[in-house]
Amino acid sequence: MEEGEDVFAVRKKYLEKDLPKPTLVEAFEMFIKNEKECFKGTEKELNEKTIQKWYYSRDHIKSFIGDKFKLRDIKKGFERKYFVHLLQSGKMGNNHAIRNVSYLNSVLDYCVMERFMEENPISLKTFLRDQPKPIVYLSEEQVSVVENIQSVDPYFNECRDIFLFMCYTSLDNNEIQKMDIEQHLEGNCIKITRGKTKHRSLQIIPLLPKTRLLLEKYNNKIPIHPTYRINRCLDVIETILKLNFNLSTKVGRKTAGMYFLINDVPLAVVSRILGHKSIVTTQKHYADVLDSLLVLKSTKHLMQ
């Protein structure tokens, strides 16, 4: 009271004198532990990759304010200073930095729930994510060129075929490696579950004639090569095609999505083929391309 506090503030401090008052870093660790224990054994159980992201985020906040920073010292505007620190560290871009600030926001919400703080003083409203990068993909003519590229190196040819399998199916390399065609082939479709633990969805992929030929070529067992080796092969193919973008395994999945869209497969069906949890996800990723396709199809009769 001699320091100017009113009687109600003094009473509150006295009643809460025995409550734990963790530092911000300790609060991070308590939050992670709570999340791990809360969902253990359920469909929402955190996988190791997600848990590791939270620990990385804890390390980032630790590098910013150290071990001893108290929760009561977090004031409005703290999130902006942290955001700038993340950008200036040179380790992440805009969207990655925003994600880490959102992790901090979740921890502070937890602190309010546990009564370590009266309110969460930070806000995410001032941050704007970068717009998605334009989709890059191979045209049907370019895929045909890739099909005819041959090498004396058998590893190169296998890596080329793995990439072509991606272009025909939209599967990525990890999914191809886990695929058991006897288990996942149903009629003329490949059915495989994809996605993270909490957001898994069924991917239903039509078995195109070229897909079937590749499976027959390798006796239903697509070769397995690490992604870095496939990308080395694609560096060569990129030069042959004279592309103005980097050709990587990710382009294979986008090429498949675009192939189905260009050939008038409904968006809802393409979403199911790609294994997106929601059609909104497909619209977001292919928004610019969908607009262009719509304009071209709507004005096709005027071009004749």
Side-chain angles (χ1 to χ4, degrees):
M1 294 183 72
E2 288 178 352
E3 292 175 357
E5 297 279 8
D6 62 40
V7 66
F8 297 103
V10 173
R11 179 178 183 275
K12 184 175 184 299
K13 288 183 178 181
Y14 176 78
L15 292 176
E16 297 184 354
K17 63 181 184 299
D18 294 327
L19 292 179
K21 299 294 183 183
T23 65
L24 179 52
V25 172
E26 289 171 343
F28 245 96
E29 293 171 349
M30 293 171 69
F31 171 83
I32 297 170
K33 182 180 179 181
N34 180 74
E35 290 291 295
K36 289 165 64 176
E37 293 178 350
C38 184
F39 298 111
K40 189 174 182 180
T42 71
E43 293 184 356
K44 294 185 177 183
E45 182 174 357
L46 302 182
N47 59 37
E48 286 301 319
K49 189 173 182 180
T50 301
I51 293 171
Q52 195 60 51
K53 286 181 179 179
W54 280 102
Y55 280 120
Y56 283 143
S57 186
R58 175 208 59 186
D59 292 341
H60 289 313
I61 198 72
K62 188 175 179 179
S63 70
F64 178 52
I65 44 83
D67 288 328
K68 308 300 181 182
F69 195 86
K70 299 293 184 180
L71 291 172
R72 65 170 179 265
D73 295 327
I74 300 177
K75 309 297 182 184
K76 290 184 178 180
F78 179 84
E79 71 277 13
R80 295 186 183 183
K81 295 177 183 178
Y82 180 44
F83 176 71
V84 172
H85 164 79
L86 293 171
L87 293 179
Q88 292 179 343
S89 67
K91 296 180 180 178
M92 59 185 71
N94 180 70
N95 289 358
H96 193 182
I98 293 174
R99 189 181 310 123
N100 274 274
V101 176
S102 72
Y103 290 160
L104 170 63
N105 186 64
S106 297
V107 171
L108 296 185
D109 283 343
Y110 164 79
C111 290
V112 173
M113 181 183 69
E114 292 294 325
R115 296 181 61 194
F116 300 150
M117 306 174 69
E118 291 186 4
E119 63 177 358
N120 181 350
I122 76 172
S123 171
L124 302 178
K125 295 181 180 179
T126 57
F127 300 109
L128 296 177
R129 290 184 176 274
D130 293 335
Q131 292 298 315
K133 295 180 180 179
I135 284 181
V136 291
Y137 62 96
L138 298 184
S139 65
E140 292 184 51
E141 293 77 14
Q142 290 170 324
V143 172
S144 296
V145 173
V146 176
E147 292 169 346
N148 293 309
I149 295 174
Q150 298 293 332
S151 172
V152 294
D153 181 1
Y155 287 121
F156 179 93
N157 292 331
E158 288 183 356
C159 288
R160 175 209 59 212
D161 287 344
I162 295 171
F163 176 70
L164 287 171
F165 196 80
M166 296 175 187
C167 294
Y168 303 152
T169 64
S170 81
L171 293 171
D172 62 28
N173 194 37
N174 289 332
E175 291 163 343
I176 292 173
Q177 290 181 9
K178 296 175 183 177
M179 184 183 66
D180 181 346
I181 197 62
E182 293 182 1
Q183 176 186 348
H184 295 115
L185 183 62
E186 293 187 22
N188 290 320
C189 291
I190 296 173
K191 294 186 178 181
I192 190 168
T193 303
R194 74 182 306 270
K196 299 179 180 178
T197 305
K198 293 192 293 184
H199 305 289
R200 299 186 71 79
S201 55
L202 181 63
Q203 197 170 357
I204 305 176
I205 305 162
L207 199 64
L208 302 178
K210 290 182 178 180
T211 311
R212 193 179 292 277
L213 287 174
L214 268 183
L215 287 171
E216 291 174 356
K217 178 178 179 179
Y218 292 104
N219 195 25
N220 285 344
K221 293 183 180 179
I222 299 298
I224 293 178
H225 287 288
T227 300
Y228 77 84
R229 181 177 290 173
I230 300 173
N231 282 331
R232 285 181 183 174
C233 161
L234 296 180
D235 287 340
V236 177
I237 295 175
E238 178 186 330
T239 303
I240 295 173
L241 295 177
K242 298 180 180 179
L243 301 176
N244 59 357
F245 57 84
N246 180 42
L247 185 61
S248 67
T249 54
K250 293 182 179 180
V251 177
R253 180 168 165 80
K254 297 296 186 292
T255 297
M258 284 305 306
Y259 173 79
F260 292 115
L261 287 172
I262 289 173
N263 285 280
D264 296 327
V265 177
L267 181 63
V269 177
V270 175
S271 181
R272 198 66 188 270
I273 292 172
L274 295 174
H276 289 160
K277 190 172 180 64
S278 166
I279 192 174
V280 175
T281 304
T282 315
Q283 290 173 321
K284 180 177 69 174
H285 285 294
Y286 291 86
D288 292 340
V289 177
L290 288 170
D291 288 343
S292 299
L293 288 175
L294 180 62
V295 170
L296 289 174
K297 289 176 182 178
S298 300
T299 58
K300 185 178 181 180
H301 65 287
L302 300 176
M303 307 299 177
Q304 297 175 350

